[in-house]
Amino acid sequence: MTARFAPDLVGDELVALTRRLGEPERDLVILAEGNTSELVADDTIVVKTSGASMRDATHDDFVAVEVSPLIALLRSADTTQEQVTAALDAGERGGVRVRASIETLIHVAVRAFDPARYVAHTHPTAVVSLLASVIAAESFAAPVYSDELMVLGRPLFVPYAQPGIDLGRAFLERLGAHVDAHGEVPSLILLGNHGIVATSHSASGAEAVSLMAVKSARVRLGALQAGGIAGLDEAATAHYFDRADFRERRQTLSGTGR
């Protein structure tokens, strides 16, 4: 068991971020969808529990998990879903079984490559509409306007895999390939037929990435209704982040230097 109930490790900022992302009018999640986490020590994150509502989250709706043992499970070809479920089990509290979210593997996979303080996973309707379409893989391949590029950087697309060990392995593999190619963990990761993952060193940055992904999806859906998406080509964006003012603005908006 790598998970444990530790509300004293859960910061107010994480709870506030989780509740903001769960606000119904933002249409990022519904019911018990989505999860957030914060890196609170070199090898420890706190992550939302399975079945807890983001909108109504409290300090008691998170558990602490150790990162390294879960990454070892991800990297082992012999790991079963049953072993993952056991590792996420934080025991009983008030007669109720408490487990870290099944998507905790996404959160630890990010930390295998980058000590991002915050990771937020949501299922925005507008984005999932694109990720469930015939153009899912290429829908975010090119930016469509400047501020989107500023906040989202180079998004990564991960094809659908069943949540749990299958998704964790696919996510880890695709993320590693992206880091090898670009030298950075993306601010936005798109999960086919599923949702999004926002990474940032600040709570406001994780929120900004999540909200910008929604606007960007709406822009694309509108462009498709008008005849098709005309993205910005590489020539237009090749030296975007060579400019100091652009890098500084990205740092401010998305909470990252990437």
Side-chain angles (χ1 to χ4, degrees):
M1 184 173 71
T2 66
R4 68 187 189 278
F5 187 69
D8 55 306
L9 295 180
V10 182
D12 293 342
E13 199 166 10
L14 175 63
V15 174
L17 168 66
T18 304
R19 292 175 67 92
R20 290 196 303 272
L21 294 177
E23 291 173 358
E25 61 270 21
R26 288 183 162 181
D27 195 25
L28 296 170
V29 294
I30 191 172
L31 304 175
E33 286 183 343
N35 33 79
T36 54
S37 70
E38 180 180 1
L39 184 67
V40 295
D42 287 344
D43 198 49
T44 303
I45 63 171
V46 287
V47 62
K48 189 180 76 70
T49 57
S50 179
S53 162
M54 289 182 69
R55 176 63 186 88
D56 302 317
T58 70
H59 293 72
D60 289 345
D61 291 316
F62 294 83
V63 294
V65 300
E66 297 173 50
V67 173
S68 295
L70 289 173
I71 292 174
L73 286 177
L74 272 177
R75 288 179 169 156
S76 171
D78 298 325
T79 299
T80 65
Q81 182 57 51
E82 289 72 22
Q83 288 174 301
V84 172
T85 300
L88 299 180
D89 192 339
E92 288 191 4
R93 181 168 176 79
V96 177
R97 178 66 59 182
V98 177
R99 286 192 179 93
S101 168
I102 189 62
E103 289 156 341
T104 296
L105 297 181
I106 290 173
H107 295 261
V108 300
V110 170
R111 276 63 179 234
F113 299 100
D114 181 43
R117 184 174 175 184
Y118 293 96
V119 173
H121 169 51
T122 57
H123 304 165
T125 300
V127 187
V128 176
S129 295
L130 286 169
L131 297 179
S133 75
V134 295
I135 62 166
E138 64 266 23
S139 59
F140 278 76
V144 295
Y145 64 102
S146 297
D147 273 4
E148 173 196 61
L149 179 59
M150 187 82 67
V151 176
L152 302 185
R154 299 183 187 91
L156 167 66
F157 175 77
V158 178
Y160 180 81
Q162 189 174 109
I165 188 63
D166 291 345
L167 176 57
R169 284 174 173 153
F171 188 94
L172 187 71
E173 179 182 356
R174 291 286 179 129
L175 190 56
H178 183 98
V179 172
D180 288 344
H182 302 291
E184 62 183 16
V185 166
S187 296
L188 175 67
I189 303 158
L190 303 148
L191 307 178
N193 295 84
H194 188 154
I196 65 173
V197 178
T199 72
S200 180
H201 292 294
S202 70
S204 61
E207 183 175 9
V209 170
S210 301
L211 296 180
M212 184 61 79
V214 173
K215 177 175 179 179
S216 296
R218 289 173 177 162
V219 169
R220 284 165 170 79
L221 291 169
L224 287 169
Q225 290 180 327
I229 300 171
L232 299 173
D233 61 27
E234 291 187 14
T237 63
H239 302 291
Y240 207 77
F241 296 111
D242 291 343
R243 287 178 48 171
D245 58 335
F246 283 7
R247 291 196 305 271
E248 290 167 2
R249 181 166 169 77
R250 176 157 165 70
Q251 173 72 41
T252 299
L253 292 174
S254 64
T256 177
R258 298 189 292 273

